[in-house]
């Protein structure tokens, strides 16, 4: 009894401790939210799209079957196609100038790199 | 700049005259001294002559001097000198014949060897029989220290004469050197006969083989002579440099006392030195201590005891986790930090297991041989063709699990089932 109370107290104390990392409890803007939705849907429908496309992009199966498949894939929700996903900046939701490796826009990247908060990044000079 | 070589030690300190002493030292073989003089004077001589390089140049000069008479085998000999040359049949043959020639008698009379090269004797016997006969006739020569000293004296005389000759015939021409080659240090006539017999036994290129064999012989003779002359001196030098190691009486006493132990056991009996080996190795004795039960089967009683403990409740697990969370300390060093990360799953386990996290428990044949799933499909027609392509693609896919592959095939089956009426209309 006393031991469990002690454990609980310790855990609470650890949680209250300030963590140096940035924490966000919301998406930066609505566009980012929509992008998140599209990604989720694309993940769900990925297999189905793959299979229907396998039927469509074919020279063996009859054309009628392929036309049916065309119609089927068009009937899927529009956000399920992966083409609609945009690689936005994770911190600022900037759609352009995003480096894929860090998922950050160029401005944010530069900001962090100059403050020496990017591991392994230094100013190039040659 | 001038380093003392073995041969210089032989001659002792002399008045250093670069024009004259070089040929003296270069006559390691003592044969083509005049020839080499001519060569050296004609060539541009570098000022610094290191001992090692000098040996090479001497050998090279000897080679050149000897072979200028038989011009066609110049290149062959030059090539054969390199170690990296692949062993030809001639060289293989030579490895045995050179051993035999080492035991040969020393050439005494300066016979005209080069003329004998061309002549082949005794067409009555087959060359093989001749060769065997000659090998059988060869004797073993035992060299003693006296003979070595005699050789040494001979050598000194020769070099003295050569020195005088060098002074006079400094400007001799190529022809003179050629004559000197033929006169000086001839090969044993028996060896020459043996070489010719061996060469004749070759299927083709007899002349070339013979010339190669003779060149090898000459080279061998030269090396043996060099070793004979240089051998005694080197040994003397080596032995003189060695010193006798003295053991102090204290060290000796320590060694003896290590053998006899005066320690007493509890019972009053002396501990023999045989025992400590089993004790000292492990720190504690081998027989004491808890058994690990690695190599012996654990008794079935212990197994039963473990089974009864099974299935801890959720509360027990929670309690264990709480204790672990309370008692954990921040990592003291990088190793503990890495251990923590590995437990959390942030860091992979090393050595890296390529199949970590995707075990499946499925064998390779379940991934590759997927035709058994095609039972429900029609056996003819475009659908079958299409499904076979699908299966081929899936079998080559290493990223999917077997379940996922089966799910793909199932979906296709369902799809085509639904479209059956439609397909039949077509």
């Amino acid at each position: 009894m006393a031991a469990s109370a002690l454990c609980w107290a310790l855990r609470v104390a650890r949680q209250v401790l300030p963590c140096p990392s940035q924490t966000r409890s919301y998406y930066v803007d609505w566009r980012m939210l929509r992008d998140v939705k599209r990604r989720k849907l694309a993940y769900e429908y990925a297999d189905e799209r793959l299979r229907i496309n396998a039927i469509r992009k074919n020279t063996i199966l009859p054309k009628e079957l392929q036309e049916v498949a065309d119609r089927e894939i068009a009937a899927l929700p529009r956000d399920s196609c992966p083409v609609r996903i945009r690689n936005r900046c994770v911190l600022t939701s900037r759609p352009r100038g995003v480096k894929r490796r860090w998922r950050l826009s160029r401005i944010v990247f530069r900001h962090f790199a100059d403050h020496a908060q990017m591991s392994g990044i230094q100013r190039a000079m040659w | 700049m001038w380093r003392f070589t073995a041969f210089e030690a032989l001659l002792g300190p002399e008045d250093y005259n670069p024009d004259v002493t070089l040929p003296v030292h270069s006559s390691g073989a003592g044969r083509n001294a005049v020839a080499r003089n001519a060569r050296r004077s004609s060539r541009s001589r570098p000022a610094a002559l290191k001992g090692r390089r000098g040996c090479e140049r001497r050998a090279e000069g000897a080679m050149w001097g000897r072979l200028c008479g038989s011009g066609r085998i110049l290149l062959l000999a030059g090539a054969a000198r390199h170690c990296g040359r692949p062993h030809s049949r001639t060289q293989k043959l030579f490895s045995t014949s050179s051993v035999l020639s080492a035991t040969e008698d020393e050439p005494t009379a300066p016979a005209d060897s080069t003329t004998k090269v061309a002549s082949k004797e005794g067409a009555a016997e087959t060359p093989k029989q001749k060769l065997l006969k000659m090998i059988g006739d060869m004797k073993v020569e035992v060299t003693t220290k006296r003979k070595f000293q005699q050789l040494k004296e001979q050598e000194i005389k020769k070099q003295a004469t050569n020195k005088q000759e060098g002074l006079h015939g400094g400007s001799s021409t190529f022809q003179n050197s050629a004559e000197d080659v033929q006169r000086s240090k001839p090969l044993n006539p028996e060896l020459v006969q043996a070489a010719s017999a061996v060469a004749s036994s070759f299927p083709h290129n007899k002349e070339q083989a013979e010339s190669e064999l003779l060149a090898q012989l000459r080279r061998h003779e030269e090396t043996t002579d060099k070793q004979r002359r240089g051998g005694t001196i080197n040994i003397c030098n080596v032995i003189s440099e060695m010193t006798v190691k003295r053991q102090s009486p204290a060290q000796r006493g320590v060694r003896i006392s290590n053998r006899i132990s005066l320690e007493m056991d509890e019972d009053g009996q002396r501990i023999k030195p045989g025992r400590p080996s089993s004790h000292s190795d492990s720190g504690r004795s081998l027989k004491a201590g808890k058994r690990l039960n690695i190599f012996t089967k654990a008794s079935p009683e212990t197994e039963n005891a473990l089974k009864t403990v099974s299935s801890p409740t959720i509360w027990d697990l929670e309690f264990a986790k709480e204790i672990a969370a309370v008692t954990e300390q921040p990592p003291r060093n990088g190793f503990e930090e890495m251990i923590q990360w590995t437990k959390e799953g942030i860091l992979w386990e090393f050595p890296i297991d390529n199949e970590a996290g995707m075990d499946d428990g499925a064998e390779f044949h379940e991934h590759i041989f997927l035709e058994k799933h095609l039972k429900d499909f029609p056996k003819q027609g475009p659908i079958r063709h299409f499904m076979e392509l699908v299966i081929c693609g899936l079998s080559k896919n290493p990223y999917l699990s077997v379940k996922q592959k089966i799910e793909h095939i199932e979906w296709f089956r369902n799809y085509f089932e639904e479209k059956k009426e439609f397909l039949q209309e077509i």
Side-chain angles (χ1 to χ4, degrees), chain A residues 7 51 54-55 58 60 72, chain B residues 326 386 389 408 411 415 419:
Chain A
C7 298
R51 290 155 191 166
I55 293 170
N58 228 326
I60 305 162
E72 276 197 14
Chain B
V326 166
F386 173 75
L389 286 174
H408 276 294
W411 186 91
Y415 186 81
K419 309 291 172 190

Side-chain angles (χ1 to χ4, degrees), chain B residues 359-388:
Chain B
D359 273 341
D360 246 12
E363 299 286 314
F364 73 98
H365 56 85
E366 291 174 45
H367 277 91
I368 292 166
F369 301 114
L370 298 163
E371 276 177 341
K372 56 190 174 185
H373 303 294
L374 283 189
K375 282 178 199 169
D376 297 337
F377 286 92
K379 292 183 187 178
Q380 299 285 332
I383 293 175
R384 182 78 185 193
H385 188 19
F386 173 75
M387 285 316 293
E388 275 169 13

Side-chain angles (χ1 to χ4, degrees), chain B residues 23 105 136 205 212:
Chain B
D105 292 339
N205 262 0
E212 277 185 38

Side-chain angles (χ1 to χ4, degrees), chain A residues 68-85:
Chain A
V68 167
D70 283 341
R71 270 172 266 150
E72 276 197 14
I73 202 168
L76 289 175
R78 198 165 274 196
D79 278 349
S80 63
C81 58
V83 190
R84 295 187 114 220
I85 292 167

Side-chain angles (χ1 to χ4, degrees), chain B residues 141-154:
Chain B
E141 186 202 51
V142 179
T143 55
T144 56
K145 197 176 181 182
R146 231 192 190 180
K147 236 187 175 172
F148 269 60
Q149 282 175 350
Q150 283 172 6
L151 277 171
K152 238 166 84 176
E153 288 157 23
Q154 277 181 20

Side-chain angles (χ1 to χ4, degrees), chain B residues 31-32 35 65-71 109-117 174-187 218:
Chain B
R31 287 158 220 170
N32 317 332
R66 274 197 212 102
L67 299 173
C68 71
S70 52
D112 199 0
S113 60
T114 48
T115 53
K116 275 211 171 183
V117 168
F174 268 97
Q175 290 170 0
N176 283 344
S177 57
E179 285 170 57
D180 286 332
V181 165
Q182 290 181 2
R183 252 185 281 129
S184 57
K185 195 62 182 189
L187 290 170
R218 286 202 197 93

Side-chain angles (χ1 to χ4, degrees), chain B residues 249-263:
Chain B
Q251 280 181 346
R252 233 184 290 150
V254 164
R255 277 200 198 157
I256 291 164
S257 64
N258 282 344
R259 280 179 228 150
I260 305 168
S261 66
L262 298 167
E263 295 165 18

